[in-house]
Amino acid sequence: MDANNGEKSTVRSVAYSNIALAKYWGKRDSKLNIPAVGSISITLDALETKTSLYFDSNLDCDELKVDGNAASPKKASRVLDLIRDRAGISDFAAVNSRNDFPGGAGLASSASGIAALTVAAAGAAGLELTERELSIIARRGSASAARSIFGGFVELHTGTARDGSDSFAEPLMAASDWPLNVVVAITQLTPKATSSTEGMLATSGSSPFYQTWVENAPSALDEMRSAVLAKDFQKTGELAERSCLAMHSLMLTTNPPLIYWNPATLEVIQLVLRLRNEGVECYFTIDAGPQVKILCESQNASRIALELIEISGVEEARISELGPGAHLVTKP
Ligand code: PMV
């Protein structure tokens, strides 16, 4: 913490994006932002958000800047309201957030952004919260953000409590226990047309397969948890692809359809299948956007990245290791 903003104490934090191996899509409670199904993710150290924040009695509302531009503080204010309530303060906050990757484009900038914000706001408010409490607060801003509170392999529970008190994330396995790599194929630099929140609402209201997805989720999650804990790469990868394709099937059967992919997305999927045939074990997964994340072991990451950048439409191939959880930092 340092006091470099007049009288105001600026707190800085960093958090990393995550990618779900077992996806969630849909809400059990929209108002409390409780996911309809549990999920399992890995935190990625190559997709980072740095945030600085101070509370200021002179502000009339929360102010958010993302990558230098003024942005809607709607999600951030949901988190800040909870922090203010807990701390018994009423000041609004000025938040400055910087991503080292394209925001709003399906690379989970809301996960890293809201996780970084939650940790910084709790620090600035002088709250000492457990990581579980931080994850519950972060979840209110963006459910995937609950997972970015932690590093490595993480599980987010849907829970059953009406108030969402048992819908929290927790670590499943440390990154060092199974140091997988992810090669991120960035196929679009601009924000997506339909946000995850809007998309999920549309799906639950119109896809004929939504109920089946919710019913199947606990067993899919159990299978994924077992595969991860057994460090069974083939099983983990196959289940991740299945979860991804099941989620995109829901999106495609939403009315009107949600088609997040572009031609390069499909080319990258074909590449993954070809590489597997050639003996390079790797698996794809895709969130609500056209970007593809390829799960692999470290010895294959460079080869995969080199093949990716040959595909026209792949703007960048970024190799990521598994990252740490959100934390406070002292330097910008
Ligand atoms: O919680 P949100 O609004 O960031 O939505 C995340 C949705 C997916 O990324 C598509 C799936 C997931 O489990 O992360």
Side-chain angles (χ1 to χ4, degrees):
M1 212 184 284
D2 59 51
N4 64 349
N5 220 323
E7 317 235 308
K8 301 171 273 293
S9 222
T10 300
V11 171
R12 301 177 201 286
S13 64
V14 61
Y16 300 87
S17 170
N18 70 73
I19 174 84
L21 301 176
K23 311 280 188 196
Y24 101 87
W25 190 252
K27 312 277 187 194
R28 169 159 84 74
D29 184 316
S30 295
K31 195 157 169 285
L32 296 174
N33 207 32
I34 306 173
V37 302
S39 53
I40 291 175
S41 64
I42 42 181
T43 304
L44 303 179
D45 80 343
L47 302 174
E48 177 189 82
T49 301
K50 283 185 171 161
T51 291
S52 67
L53 175 153
Y54 57 85
F55 287 104
D56 184 350
S57 56
N58 295 317
L59 293 173
D60 302 326
C61 59
D62 292 320
E63 286 179 1
L64 173 65
K65 264 193 185 173
V66 178
D67 296 329
N69 303 313
S72 161
K74 201 171 149 216
K75 284 183 181 178
S77 290
R78 290 209 296 262
V79 167
L80 289 164
D81 284 344
L82 293 170
I83 296 285
R84 278 187 283 261
D85 273 3
R86 287 257 197 157
I89 56 175
S90 54
D91 292 353
F92 289 108
V95 185
N96 198 339
S97 192
R98 282 198 179 273
N99 299 311
D100 71 354
F101 61 96
L107 290 166
S109 56
S110 70
S112 49
I114 295 288
L117 165 82
T118 305
V119 167
L127 289 176
E128 293 206 3
L129 301 175
T130 62
E131 286 179 319
R132 180 173 295 186
E133 288 171 314
L134 288 168
S135 83
I136 291 176
I137 294 173
R139 192 207 74 228
R140 293 285 291 273
S142 168
S144 58
R147 300 187 307 235
S148 277
I149 295 294
F150 300 96
F153 294 79
V154 183
E155 177 161 358
L156 170 60
H157 304 280
T158 172
T160 51
R162 288 179 71 164
D163 65 356
S165 54
D166 58 356
S167 180
F168 55 81
E170 63 182 343
L172 190 60
M173 193 164 73
S176 54
D177 283 343
W178 199 19
L180 292 179
N181 279 195
V182 172
V183 188
V184 183
I186 301 178
T187 66
Q188 183 183 306
L189 301 171
T190 49
K192 58 193 172 202
T194 311
S195 74
S196 300
T197 307
E198 289 165 333
M200 288 180 205
L201 195 68
T203 297
S204 59
S206 63
S207 170
F209 306 120
Y210 181 69
Q211 219 34 56
T212 310
W213 158 261
V214 173
E215 280 158 22
N216 283 342
S219 63
L221 205 61
D222 286 347
E223 273 192 285
M224 180 60 83
R225 193 185 310 105
S226 304
V228 166
L229 292 174
K231 299 185 208 171
D232 183 335
F233 187 50
Q234 186 182 344
K235 189 87 187 157
T236 301
E238 284 173 2
L239 291 172
E241 287 190 353
R242 212 180 299 160
S243 175
C244 160
L245 292 173
M247 182 183 75
H248 282 273
S249 308
L250 288 181
M251 294 162 168
L252 293 172
T253 51
T254 296
N255 186 18
L258 293 165
I259 304 173
Y260 283 110
W261 297 1
N262 63 25
T265 312
L266 215 46
E267 278 201 57
V268 175
I269 293 175
Q270 307 282 19
L271 169 68
V272 169
L273 301 182
R274 173 168 69 74
L275 285 170
R276 266 213 310 267
N277 269 336
E278 291 170 5
V280 179
E281 200 177 0
C282 57
Y283 301 90
F284 64 84
T285 182
I286 306 158
D287 275 346
Q291 329 291 5
V292 188
K293 284 89 171 187
I294 302 170
L295 198 61
C296 64
E297 290 167 318
S298 57
Q299 69 272 18
N300 292 324
S302 308
R303 153 102 194 258
I304 294 168
L306 284 175
E307 297 254 8
L308 279 172
I309 52 172
E310 292 300 314
I311 296 177
S312 80
V314 172
E315 307 280 349
E316 189 189 337
R318 197 180 290 198
I319 298 174
S320 183
E321 294 182 7
L322 303 193
H327 55 273
L328 293 175
V329 291
T330 47
K331 290 196 185 125

